[in-house]
Amino acid sequence: QSALTQPPSASGSPGQSVTISCAGTSSDVGAYNYVSWYQQHPGKAPKLMIYEVTKRPSGVPDRFSGSKSGNTASLTVSGLQAEDEADYYCSSWVGTNSVIFGGGTKLTVL
Amino acid sequence: EVQLVESGGGLVQPGGSLRLSCAASGFTFSSYWMSWVRQSPGRGLERVASIRHDGISKYYLDSVEGRFTISRDNAKNSLYLQMNTLRAEDTAVYYCAKDSGWYRFDTWGQGTQVTVSS
């Protein structure tokens, strides 16, 4: 199973919206609604931001939203804030014994 | 507070062994699947191994199958990863992660560095 494809970087100004894509195949992202997104600040562990494509864990701001179309999932961050600057990773369940991750996107708040 | 704390990382020579531990608190450990996930600059994030809540089912990344063994002690709220025949490509930060279903990792430890080098 190959890694999911994410753009290496994305950027936006405070208050703007930015969308990060996560491209998979019909065997992973396209097959299941079990896509998650993680935020990781430098030197810290990943933090779950979105699960099951669109759901937000308790405590995650509603500025973060997820969607999926075909084999591509997306994370949108609205009303960008300085603290949103981080690396973002997507993942997809691909069966009982497997999960794959994207290569990560570095989000810069200009 | 839900918390995971890893220990046991370090520098080891190729072919050597290490045992990682993860101490869990703040949740009913015996009710959840648990996983080890590693992260390295060259390979990104990889799910290394997962174990069912009762320890009966275990799954591994293909490249570690036969070399790594995941286990748990529900009485001690602890997760383990025995790593044998270590290779340079196993060098990474290893995280312990709580799985709330469908590989939804909702809690992560702080990570422990494993470096395989002569």
Side-chain angles (χ1 to χ4, degrees):
Chain A
Q1 213 82 33
S2 300
L4 304 174
T5 301
Q6 297 181 236
S9 64
S11 62
S13 299
Q16 289 186 332
S17 294
V18 64
T19 296
I20 299 170
S21 62
C22 170
T25 70
S26 58
S27 297
D28 40 65
V29 174
Y32 310 102
N33 287 324
Y34 295 117
V35 174
S36 298
W37 288 91
Y38 299 89
Q39 176 192 65
Q40 187 177 35
H41 288 108
K44 302 294 187 181
K47 175 187 175 183
L48 180 68
M49 304 300 284
I50 295 288
Y51 66 97
E52 293 177 20
V53 179
T54 62
K55 299 178 181 179
R56 274 189 315 276
S58 173
V60 172
D62 61 5
R63 302 185 292 102
F64 291 85
S65 62
S67 62
K68 190 183 83 167
S69 177
N71 298 335
T72 300
S74 298
L75 172 72
T76 297
V77 185
S78 305
L80 270 175
Q81 299 183 4
E83 59 262 35
D84 300 333
E85 184 161 298
D87 293 329
Y88 291 84
Y89 296 89
C90 61
S91 73
S92 176
W93 188 83
V94 292
T96 304
N97 64 344
S98 190
V99 57
I100 55 173
F101 290 90
T105 298
K106 181 177 179 61
L107 174 61
T108 300
V109 181
L110 302 171
Chain B
E1 178 192 6
V2 177
Q3 193 171 17
L4 299 170
V5 180
E6 302 97 336
S7 60
L11 173 64
V12 62
Q13 292 188 340
S17 298
L18 274 179
R19 188 192 195 212
L20 305 184
S21 299
C22 172
S25 60
F27 65 101
T28 306
F29 179 74
S30 59
S31 296
Y32 290 90
W33 281 77
M34 295 294 295
S35 293
W36 288 97
V37 179
R38 69 186 180 187
Q39 184 174 31
S40 62
R43 306 170 78 89
L45 287 165
E46 295 179 301
R47 192 286 313 260
V48 174
S50 299
I51 185 168
R52 204 170 83 169
H53 54 85
D54 57 6
I56 291 178
S57 294
K58 303 175 185 182
Y59 299 112
Y60 296 93
L61 182 68
D62 285 349
S63 61
V64 309
E65 184 89 54
R67 299 188 297 122
F68 290 11
T69 301
I70 189 171
S71 62
R72 64 191 297 161
D73 185 336
N74 286 342
K76 295 183 178 180
N77 289 340
S78 293
L79 178 72
Y80 307 100
L81 184 68
Q82 178 66 45
M83 303 186 295
N84 297 330
T85 319
L86 281 161
R87 306 168 180 167
E89 54 264 35
D90 296 318
T91 294
V93 175
Y94 284 72
Y95 293 100
C96 166
K98 170 176 166 280
D99 181 356
S100 289
W102 314 109
Y103 290 118
R104 179 202 331 163
F105 300 122
D106 63 358
T107 304
W108 298 63
Q110 84 285 357
T112 188
Q113 176 71 48
V114 172
T115 302
V116 184
S117 175
S118 55

